[in-house]
Amino acid sequence: MNVETPVYLDYAATTPVEPAVAEAMAATLLPGGSFGNPSSNHPLGREALTIVETARQQLAALIGARPRDLIWTSGATESDNMAITGGARYRQHRGKHLITMPVEHKAVTDTFAALEREGFEVTWLSPSNDGMLDLQQLADAIREDTQLVSIMFVNNETGVIQDIEAIGKRCRDSDILFHVDAAQAVGKVPIDLSELPVDLMSLTAHKFYGPKGVGALYIADRPGCQIEPILFGGGHERRMRPGTSAVHQLRGIGLAAEIAASRIEEDFVHIRSLRERLWAGIRDLPALSINGPADGGFPGILNVSAEGVDGESLMLALDPVCVASGSACNAKSGEASYVLRALGLDDHLAQSAIRFSIGRHSIAADIDIAIECYRHAVTMLREMAPVARKCV
Amino acid sequence: MEANYDPYNAETRALFANPAHAGDLQAGPARSALAEVSESSAGAKIQLAVGLVDGQIQKCRFRVLGCPHLIAASEWLCRTLEGGPAADLADFRAADCMEPLGIPIEKTGRILLLEDAIRLLLEQLDID
């Protein structure tokens, strides 16, 4: 089929900035705008500081946190590094055992791997076939010297939503720091940190229609919930994250959070209906399987494997439908997704996986094009594939 | 100057989009051979078939489970060989198609599957 305009179904990789957010950011940057340094004690500095603190309130309102419990960062990767490394080091005099899962984002798994090289011991809990963490497995893994557990809220490849409340309660019972990578959850699923037993939570603006390069780390205000800073150089952000605040970025994340809060349920319903439309349009193709929950996970992500199809060829045949093969972070390596491998898929099936991720701006026509392109691509590649026979 | 990060050049895209030689040999050529080779690590697999008439390659067909570069290279090979003398089979080297198709060096092993397939065809056809 001939489709020339890109159809964007890769919202789990990143989202476009809301026009109102971009306009507000631009106004902050320009002469005549609030471009001052928030640390400066003059009118423009105070104006910039007002933007920084307003953004903190806007983001806090989205996730049920107190503004003072948020530290600005450059995004979820930095927040993950700060939380895990800083938390582990802060508590290392008590013990050096940490727990996570191999299906976490690389920002988490690579940070744990670095801590292993520092002498920490990490227990990697395998997920069940549907991607969920078995709470009994977690309970069995917890030891007297366990100091930090990190489990993601929504998996970026499969859309699996973990039982954050139950995991958090188990960690609280043992006075263990609980970190959550919520990059795929914030602004998309309701989160109320005033109720959830979460100590540390990472997030980033560009997953919820804000700008790239800005995020936050939530640090709960409770005894024992502290981290060591990993960056030094000033007193910014409670001495946790030095550097001049990026006022325009913070204007962006704040406004994006406010918009997300105002339409989170509307977005959720919209996305869920489009996911159902997408799956209904392709599910009758032979030998197709969903990676992750068939329902009950985050509806914005539909990860599908097709037997007998090469993932890289499928991606090119789907052009110009913008989707992901594995996750955006390892798409260029050509290797099968480590997340899908951890769910028990063999190399062939993992390698054939395509992640469709639907967002606020997706429309039914996009889904219909994706359905037609996917059906055509899978059929074409299967027709081209070798068939079993005896060689002459 | 703007950098180009498209992993597929125009030739590869064109061949991938129009793999006219994908499929099987139909009945016809009196002398034919079919080779199948696979790459164990990534699972790429090729079936390559040729049909000869009077020492000429009348038909060349392929089937591939693999990446776009391998599909494009298979189509390129069939287009190159078809209509030529059977002896040309022995001259093919993977490097012949790597440059025109812009195939990255790390995929050399996969493209070498085509050389392996041709070697098997030559054995079956008893061509030196």
Side-chain angles (χ1 to χ4, degrees):
Chain A
M1 69 180 295
N2 187 17
V3 179
E4 292 189 354
T5 308
V7 171
Y8 191 74
L9 291 175
D10 199 14
Y11 283 84
T14 194
T15 60
V17 175
E18 278 293 323
V21 171
E23 286 169 21
M25 289 175 65
T28 308
L29 285 165
L30 300 170
S34 308
F35 64 87
N37 187 325
S39 298
S40 299
N41 189 16
H42 54 59
L44 275 179
R46 288 191 289 276
E47 200 173 301
L49 183 60
T50 300
I51 289 173
V52 171
E53 296 310 319
T54 300
R56 215 184 299 271
Q57 291 170 11
Q58 290 167 314
L59 180 60
L62 174 64
I63 57 176
R66 296 181 311 175
R68 68 184 187 205
D69 295 338
L70 295 174
I71 302 291
W72 296 126
T73 66
S74 63
T77 295
E78 184 186 337
S79 300
D80 287 338
N81 273 265
M82 279 177 68
I84 297 164
T85 303
R89 286 181 184 163
Y90 183 81
R91 286 181 161 225
Q92 61 182 319
H93 63 285
R94 297 192 197 182
K96 301 186 83 168
H97 180 237
L98 316 168
I99 298 174
T100 189
M101 296 176 81
V103 294
E104 296 285 314
H105 191 275
K106 284 282 184 188
V108 170
T109 58
D110 284 357
T111 303
F112 275 100
L115 288 169
E116 282 183 315
R117 293 192 291 275
E118 274 186 33
F120 287 87
E121 185 184 349
V122 179
T123 296
W124 301 86
L125 298 177
S126 296
S128 56
N129 284 344
D130 63 1
M132 293 295 287
L133 172 65
D134 179 346
L135 291 173
Q136 187 56 50
Q137 197 188 0
L138 171 66
D140 293 344
I142 289 175
R143 313 186 318 208
E144 282 195 0
D145 61 341
T146 305
Q147 298 304 322
L148 185 141
V149 171
S150 182
I151 303 293
M152 71 203 311
F153 208 124
V154 173
N155 186 276
N156 54 304
E157 292 197 37
T158 62
V160 167
I161 300 178
Q162 298 291 348
D163 188 346
I164 295 301
E165 184 172 9
I167 298 166
K169 280 180 180 167
R170 186 64 192 81
C171 291
R172 285 274 163 96
D173 289 345
S174 301
D175 189 27
I176 295 167
L177 281 180
F178 179 37
H179 167 252
V180 175
D181 177 350
Q184 293 291 344
V186 170
K188 297 175 180 173
V189 298
I191 297 174
D192 185 356
L193 290 172
S194 70
E195 297 289 335
L196 280 177
V198 169
D199 296 317
L200 304 160
M201 192 173 88
S202 302
L203 61 95
T204 187
H206 77 101
K207 305 289 192 187
F208 59 93
Y209 310 91
K212 295 168 182 65
V214 62
L217 174 63
Y218 162 81
I219 305 177
D221 182 16
R222 74 173 186 90
C225 181
Q226 290 188 58
I227 62 171
E228 269 191 15
I230 61 171
L231 295 171
F232 304 91
H236 310 80
E237 298 300 308
R238 292 163 41 193
R239 296 193 175 280
M240 288 291 174
R241 208 279 187 169
T244 301
S245 298
V247 179
H248 61 297
Q249 300 284 68
L250 299 176
R251 180 78 184 99
I253 190 173
L255 189 52
E258 187 174 283
I259 293 170
S262 72
R263 53 178 300 163
I264 194 164
E265 287 181 22
E266 179 189 342
D267 282 355
F268 194 89
V269 170
H270 171 67
I271 286 166
R272 186 172 56 197
S273 74
L274 292 182
R275 182 196 199 261
E276 287 168 358
R277 187 185 187 100
L278 176 57
W279 180 233
I282 61 174
R283 66 183 304 167
D284 64 310
L285 284 169
L288 231 56
S289 54
I290 291 183
N291 302 314
D295 48 37
F298 173 58
I301 293 175
L302 177 64
N303 192 315
V304 182
S305 284
E307 284 180 30
V309 173
D310 176 86
E312 187 185 341
S313 286
L314 186 52
M315 284 279 289
L316 182 58
L318 281 170
D319 212 19
V321 179
C322 303
V323 292
S325 173
S327 76
C329 302
N330 68 352
K332 288 180 182 168
S333 70
E335 294 172 4
S337 151
Y338 68 94
V339 172
L340 300 184
R341 295 287 289 117
L343 294 184
L345 273 70
D346 64 31
D347 268 337
H348 283 97
L349 214 48
Q351 217 270 337
S352 76
I354 291 291
R355 180 192 69 186
F356 298 92
S357 50
I358 302 162
R360 180 183 295 166
H361 301 294
S362 300
I363 56 174
D366 295 338
I367 301 301
D368 292 344
I369 290 170
I371 289 169
E372 196 172 339
C373 287
Y374 186 79
R375 296 184 70 91
H376 171 76
V378 168
T379 304
M380 177 195 76
L381 291 170
R382 282 179 172 166
E383 284 175 357
M384 196 189 299
V387 291
R389 70 178 117 199
K390 188 178 177 202
C391 291
V392 293
Chain B
M1 183 178 168
E2 196 169 285
N4 181 4
Y5 291 103
D6 189 340
Y8 312 112
N9 69 14
E11 183 72 4
T12 289
R13 282 182 173 273
L15 292 167
F16 179 84
N18 186 22
H21 292 80
D24 303 312
L25 288 182
Q26 302 303 317
R31 204 170 164 217
S32 66
L34 170 70
E36 179 172 314
V37 290
S38 60
E39 177 192 46
S40 57
S41 61
K45 187 185 282 188
I46 299 177
Q47 288 174 347
L48 188 64
V50 290
L52 308 184
V53 174
D54 297 333
Q56 298 289 112
I57 301 172
Q58 188 194 49
K59 299 279 185 192
C60 189
R61 294 289 181 271
F62 73 92
R63 285 181 172 273
V64 166
L65 170 60
C67 70
H69 284 118
L70 188 56
I71 291 172
S74 302
E75 175 64 20
W76 183 93
L77 176 66
C78 289
R79 290 185 188 188
T80 304
L81 292 175
E82 210 169 74
D88 282 1
L89 283 166
D91 295 335
F92 172 75
R93 295 291 175 271
D96 297 345
C97 64
M98 300 265 307
E99 189 177 336
L101 300 185
I103 298 173
I105 193 82
E106 58 268 25
K107 286 192 174 178
T108 303
R110 192 168 294 174
I111 304 305
L112 283 171
L113 288 174
L114 289 170
E115 283 192 21
D116 295 341
I118 285 180
R119 196 172 302 119
L120 288 176
L121 291 177
L122 290 169
E123 284 174 17
Q124 290 175 35
L125 295 166
D126 200 18
I127 298 174
D128 292 330

